[in-house]
Amino acid sequence: NAGVTQTPKFQVLKTGQSMTLQCAQDMNHNSMYWYRQDPGMGLRLIYYSASEGTTDKGEVPNGYNVSRLNKREFSLRLESAAPSQTSVYFCASNPTGGSNEKLFFGSGTQLSVL
Amino acid sequence: AQSVTQPDIHITVSEGASLELRCNYSYGATPYLFWYVQSPGQGLQLLLKYFSGDTLVQGIKGFEAEFKRSQSSFNLRKPSVHWSDAAEYFCAVDSGGSNYKLTFGKGTLLTVNP
Protein backbone atom coordinates (compact mmCIF):
# COMPACT_ATOMS: atom_id res chain seq x y z
CA ASN A 1 0.00 0.00 0.00
CA ALA A 2 2.03 2.95 -1.31
CA GLY A 3 -0.36 5.76 -0.28
CA VAL A 4 0.79 9.09 -1.74
CA THR A 5 3.91 8.96 -3.88
CA GLN A 6 5.86 12.04 -4.91
CA THR A 7 8.67 12.32 -7.42
CA PRO A 8 11.37 13.49 -7.43
CA LYS A 9 12.51 13.62 -3.80
CA PHE A 10 15.16 16.24 -4.47
CA GLN A 11 15.66 18.73 -7.29
CA VAL A 12 17.98 21.63 -7.98
CA LEU A 13 17.00 24.16 -10.63
CA LYS A 14 18.48 27.31 -12.04
CA THR A 15 16.41 30.46 -12.08
CA GLY A 16 14.12 30.44 -15.10
CA GLN A 17 14.07 26.68 -15.59
CA SER A 18 10.82 24.79 -15.59
CA MET A 19 9.88 21.50 -14.01
CA THR A 20 6.93 19.38 -12.97
CA LEU A 21 6.48 17.73 -9.60
CA GLN A 22 4.56 14.50 -9.82
CA CYS A 23 2.10 13.10 -7.30
CA ALA A 24 0.06 9.92 -7.40
CA GLN A 25 -2.21 8.25 -4.85
CA ASP A 26 -3.52 4.72 -4.90
CA MET A 27 -6.31 5.12 -2.34
CA ASN A 28 -9.06 6.14 -4.78
CA HIS A 29 -9.31 9.55 -3.15
CA ASN A 30 -11.25 12.31 -4.84
CA SER A 31 -9.44 15.31 -3.35
CA MET A 32 -5.78 16.17 -3.78
CA TYR A 33 -3.64 19.08 -2.60
CA TRP A 34 -0.26 20.72 -3.07
CA TYR A 35 1.37 22.46 -0.12
CA ARG A 36 4.68 24.19 0.35
CA GLN A 37 6.55 24.20 3.63
CA ASP A 38 9.01 26.93 4.53
CA PRO A 39 10.92 27.26 7.79
CA GLY A 40 8.83 29.03 10.42
CA MET A 41 5.84 29.25 8.09
CA GLY A 42 4.05 25.97 8.52
CA LEU A 43 2.27 24.55 5.49
CA ARG A 44 0.58 26.76 2.94
CA LEU A 45 -1.84 25.53 0.32
CA ILE A 46 -0.79 26.21 -3.27
CA TYR A 47 -3.56 24.51 -5.26
CA TYR A 48 -6.11 21.83 -4.66
CA SER A 49 -8.37 19.58 -6.68
CA ALA A 50 -11.65 18.74 -5.02
CA SER A 51 -12.38 16.07 -7.60
CA GLU A 52 -11.16 14.81 -10.94
CA GLY A 53 -11.46 17.54 -13.54
CA THR A 54 -11.45 20.47 -11.12
CA THR A 55 -8.65 22.59 -9.71
CA ASP A 56 -8.67 25.71 -7.56
CA LYS A 57 -6.19 28.18 -6.15
CA GLY A 58 -5.12 28.03 -2.57
CA GLU A 59 -3.33 30.59 -0.46
CA VAL A 60 -0.12 30.94 -2.53
CA PRO A 61 -0.78 30.00 -6.19
CA ASN A 62 1.38 32.58 -7.97
CA GLY A 63 4.11 31.05 -10.11
CA TYR A 64 2.52 27.60 -10.20
CA ASN A 65 0.15 25.63 -12.35
CA VAL A 66 -1.47 22.27 -11.72
CA SER A 67 -3.01 19.45 -13.69
CA ARG A 68 -5.36 16.80 -12.38
CA LEU A 69 -4.47 14.23 -15.02
CA ASN A 70 -6.86 11.60 -13.72
CA LYS A 71 -8.19 10.52 -10.36
CA ARG A 72 -4.80 9.20 -9.25
CA GLU A 73 -2.44 11.93 -10.40
CA PHE A 74 -2.06 15.62 -9.57
CA SER A 75 1.01 17.42 -10.87
CA LEU A 76 2.48 20.79 -9.96
CA ARG A 77 4.38 22.79 -12.57
CA LEU A 78 6.81 25.64 -12.15
CA GLU A 79 7.04 27.38 -15.53
CA SER A 80 9.92 29.72 -14.66
CA ALA A 81 11.47 28.87 -11.33
CA ALA A 82 12.50 31.64 -8.95
CA PRO A 83 14.66 31.49 -5.80
CA SER A 84 11.53 32.33 -3.77
CA GLN A 85 10.18 28.94 -4.78
CA THR A 86 12.92 27.13 -2.90
CA SER A 87 10.89 25.05 -0.49
CA VAL A 88 9.71 21.59 0.45
CA TYR A 89 6.61 20.60 -1.47
CA PHE A 90 4.05 18.15 -0.17
CA CYS A 91 1.23 16.47 -2.00
CA ALA A 92 -1.73 15.23 0.03
CA SER A 93 -5.05 13.55 -0.58
CA ASN A 94 -8.22 12.59 1.22
CA PRO A 95 -11.40 10.77 0.26
CA THR A 96 -13.83 13.61 -0.42
CA GLY A 97 -12.26 16.77 0.99
CA GLY A 98 -14.62 16.86 3.92
CA SER A 99 -13.61 18.58 7.13
CA ASN A 100 -13.90 15.37 9.10
CA GLU A 101 -11.32 13.56 6.99
CA LYS A 102 -7.64 13.42 7.60
CA LEU A 103 -5.08 14.27 4.98
CA PHE A 104 -2.67 11.63 3.73
CA PHE A 105 0.70 13.16 2.87
CA GLY A 106 3.51 12.16 0.59
CA SER A 107 7.09 12.32 1.85
CA GLY A 108 7.86 15.58 0.07
CA THR A 109 10.04 17.07 -2.66
CA GLN A 110 12.90 19.29 -1.60
CA LEU A 111 13.40 21.92 -4.29
CA SER A 112 16.27 24.39 -4.48
CA VAL A 113 16.26 27.20 -7.04
CA LEU A 114 19.64 28.83 -7.55
CA ALA B 1 -10.39 34.78 8.94
CA GLN B 2 -9.31 31.80 10.95
CA SER B 3 -5.79 31.59 12.33
CA VAL B 4 -3.68 29.27 14.44
CA THR B 5 -0.92 30.22 16.86
CA GLN B 6 1.64 27.84 18.27
CA PRO B 7 3.51 30.02 20.78
CA ASP B 8 6.48 27.68 21.22
CA ILE B 9 8.84 27.32 18.28
CA HIS B 10 11.10 24.77 20.00
CA ILE B 11 10.63 22.68 23.14
CA THR B 12 13.14 20.35 24.78
CA VAL B 13 12.10 17.70 27.26
CA SER B 14 13.78 14.74 28.86
CA GLU B 15 12.70 11.24 27.99
CA GLY B 16 10.01 10.12 30.41
CA ALA B 17 8.90 13.65 31.23
CA SER B 18 5.42 14.93 30.48
CA LEU B 19 4.74 17.11 27.47
CA GLU B 20 2.28 19.86 26.63
CA LEU B 21 2.32 21.68 23.29
CA ARG B 22 0.19 24.77 23.06
CA CYS B 23 -2.19 25.76 20.30
CA ASN B 24 -4.53 28.73 20.16
CA TYR B 25 -6.96 29.40 17.37
CA SER B 26 -9.03 32.29 16.21
CA TYR B 27 -12.42 31.52 14.75
CA GLY B 28 -15.93 32.63 15.59
CA ALA B 29 -17.69 29.30 15.79
CA THR B 30 -16.49 25.90 16.95
CA PRO B 31 -13.87 24.83 14.46
CA TYR B 32 -12.58 21.43 13.51
CA LEU B 33 -9.17 21.05 15.16
CA PHE B 34 -6.27 18.76 14.31
CA TRP B 35 -2.79 17.88 15.46
CA TYR B 36 -0.33 16.50 12.90
CA VAL B 37 3.20 15.24 13.47
CA GLN B 38 6.10 15.36 11.02
CA SER B 39 9.13 13.16 11.54
CA PRO B 40 12.35 14.23 9.82
CA GLY B 41 12.19 13.76 6.07
CA GLN B 42 8.60 12.61 6.16
CA GLY B 43 5.19 13.96 5.38
CA LEU B 44 2.67 14.85 8.05
CA GLN B 45 0.68 12.24 9.92
CA LEU B 46 -2.55 12.86 11.80
CA LEU B 47 -2.30 12.40 15.57
CA LEU B 48 -5.85 13.32 16.54
CA LYS B 49 -8.81 15.50 15.68
CA TYR B 50 -11.71 17.23 17.40
CA PHE B 51 -15.10 17.95 15.84
CA SER B 52 -17.63 17.93 18.64
CA GLY B 53 -18.63 16.10 21.80
CA ASP B 54 -16.11 15.11 24.44
CA THR B 55 -13.56 17.88 24.70
CA LEU B 56 -10.75 15.46 25.59
CA VAL B 57 -9.73 13.47 22.54
CA GLN B 58 -7.36 10.55 22.36
CA GLY B 59 -5.01 10.00 19.49
CA ILE B 60 -2.32 7.66 18.30
CA LYS B 61 1.02 7.10 20.01
CA GLY B 62 -0.41 7.92 23.45
CA PHE B 63 -1.22 11.56 22.70
CA GLU B 64 -4.31 13.41 23.83
CA ALA B 65 -5.60 16.95 23.39
CA GLU B 66 -8.18 19.03 25.18
CA PHE B 67 -10.44 21.56 23.52
CA LYS B 68 -11.15 24.58 25.73
CA ARG B 69 -13.61 26.92 24.13
CA SER B 70 -13.20 29.61 26.79
CA GLN B 71 -9.48 29.80 26.08
CA SER B 72 -9.66 29.11 22.32
CA SER B 73 -7.07 26.44 22.88
CA PHE B 74 -6.40 22.89 21.79
CA ASN B 75 -3.27 21.81 23.63
CA LEU B 76 -1.56 18.50 22.95
CA ARG B 77 -0.34 16.38 25.85
CA LYS B 78 1.53 13.19 26.54
CA PRO B 79 2.23 11.86 30.05
CA SER B 80 5.62 10.32 29.29
CA VAL B 81 7.66 11.25 26.24
CA HIS B 82 9.71 8.69 24.31
CA TRP B 83 12.80 9.47 22.25
CA SER B 84 10.85 8.52 19.13
CA ASP B 85 8.46 11.43 19.76
CA ALA B 86 11.13 13.89 18.61
CA ALA B 87 9.51 15.57 15.61
CA GLU B 88 7.74 18.72 14.54
CA TYR B 89 4.13 19.12 15.60
CA PHE B 90 1.53 21.16 13.77
CA CYS B 91 -1.83 22.33 15.00
CA ALA B 92 -4.44 23.00 12.32
CA VAL B 93 -7.92 24.49 12.21
CA ASP B 94 -10.69 24.05 9.68
CA SER B 95 -13.55 26.49 9.63
CA GLY B 96 -15.94 23.70 8.76
CA GLY B 97 -16.12 24.01 5.04
CA SER B 98 -13.85 21.67 3.24
CA ASN B 99 -10.32 20.54 3.84
CA TYR B 100 -8.96 23.17 1.49
CA LYS B 101 -9.76 25.67 4.21
CA LEU B 102 -7.38 24.00 6.61
CA THR B 103 -4.99 26.48 8.23
CA PHE B 104 -1.80 25.18 9.80
CA GLY B 105 0.18 26.70 12.62
CA LYS B 106 3.88 27.32 12.15
CA GLY B 107 4.84 24.24 14.11
CA THR B 108 6.63 23.33 17.34
CA LEU B 109 9.87 21.39 17.12
CA LEU B 110 10.22 18.85 19.92
CA THR B 111 13.65 17.67 21.03
CA VAL B 112 13.87 14.74 23.46
CA ASN B 113 16.97 14.40 25.62
CA PRO B 114 18.01 10.94 26.83
Side-chain angles (χ1 to χ4, degrees):
Chain A
N1 187 0
V4 179
T5 302
Q6 291 182 236
T7 56
K9 291 188 182 301
F10 302 95
Q11 183 71 49
V12 179
L13 294 177
K14 295 180 179 179
T15 297
Q17 286 185 316
S18 62
M19 79 159 295
T20 300
L21 306 185
Q22 306 288 351
C23 174
Q25 51 88 12
D26 62 0
M27 296 172 283
N28 201 38
H29 286 171
N30 285 310
S31 298
M32 298 185 73
Y33 310 79
W34 275 107
Y35 289 90
R36 60 178 289 173
Q37 184 180 32
D38 302 293
M41 296 294 292
L43 273 74
R44 293 180 292 170
L45 183 64
I46 305 171
Y47 270 94
Y48 67 96
S49 172
S51 61
E52 185 179 358
T54 68
T55 61
D56 285 286
K57 296 178 180 179
E59 181 184 355
V60 288
N62 291 345
Y64 305 94
N65 285 300
V66 291
S67 295
R68 183 73 183 268
L69 305 171
N70 47 55
K71 193 171 186 179
R72 290 186 65 249
E73 298 172 289
F74 187 39
S75 62
L76 178 71
R77 183 161 179 83
L78 288 69
E79 291 291 351
S80 179
S84 61
Q85 295 177 305
T86 294
S87 188
V88 181
Y89 292 85
F90 287 99
C91 179
S93 71
N94 64 0
T96 64
S99 296
N100 61 340
E101 299 170 349
K102 71 176 183 180
L103 289 166
F104 292 79
F105 284 85
S107 58
T109 296
Q110 188 168 324
L111 175 66
S112 295
V113 183
L114 306 178
Chain B
Q2 64 196 33
S3 65
V4 180
T5 302
Q6 294 181 246
D8 304 303
I9 296 173
H10 187 191
I11 285 182
T12 300
V13 300
S14 298
E15 190 168 16
S18 63
L19 172 70
E20 182 170 30
L21 302 182
R22 296 182 291 164
C23 173
N24 294 97
Y25 68 91
S26 173
Y27 179 64
T30 300
Y32 298 156
L33 296 160
F34 305 80
W35 275 100
Y36 281 85
V37 60
Q38 183 181 31
S39 298
Q42 300 297 313
L44 278 69
Q45 179 185 19
L46 182 70
L47 281 176
L48 48 79
K49 58 186 178 182
Y50 171 79
F51 298 134
S52 63
D54 193 347
T55 56
L56 184 64
V57 293
Q58 303 295 323
I60 62 171
K61 304 185 180 185
F63 285 91
E64 66 178 27
E66 186 171 12
F67 169 60
K68 292 186 177 180
R69 183 190 304 275
S70 62
Q71 298 177 18
S72 297
S73 69
F74 188 56
N75 294 349
L76 182 71
R77 300 194 296 249
K78 187 170 185 178
S80 177
V81 170
H82 188 262
W83 64 266
S84 60
D85 293 325
E88 191 157 20
Y89 292 79
F90 293 92
C91 183
V93 60
D94 186 328
S95 60
S98 300
N99 237 310
Y100 62 84
K101 295 183 180 178
L102 199 62
T103 300
F104 286 88
K106 296 182 178 181
T108 297
L109 181 64
L110 174 66
T111 298
V112 180
N113 288 333

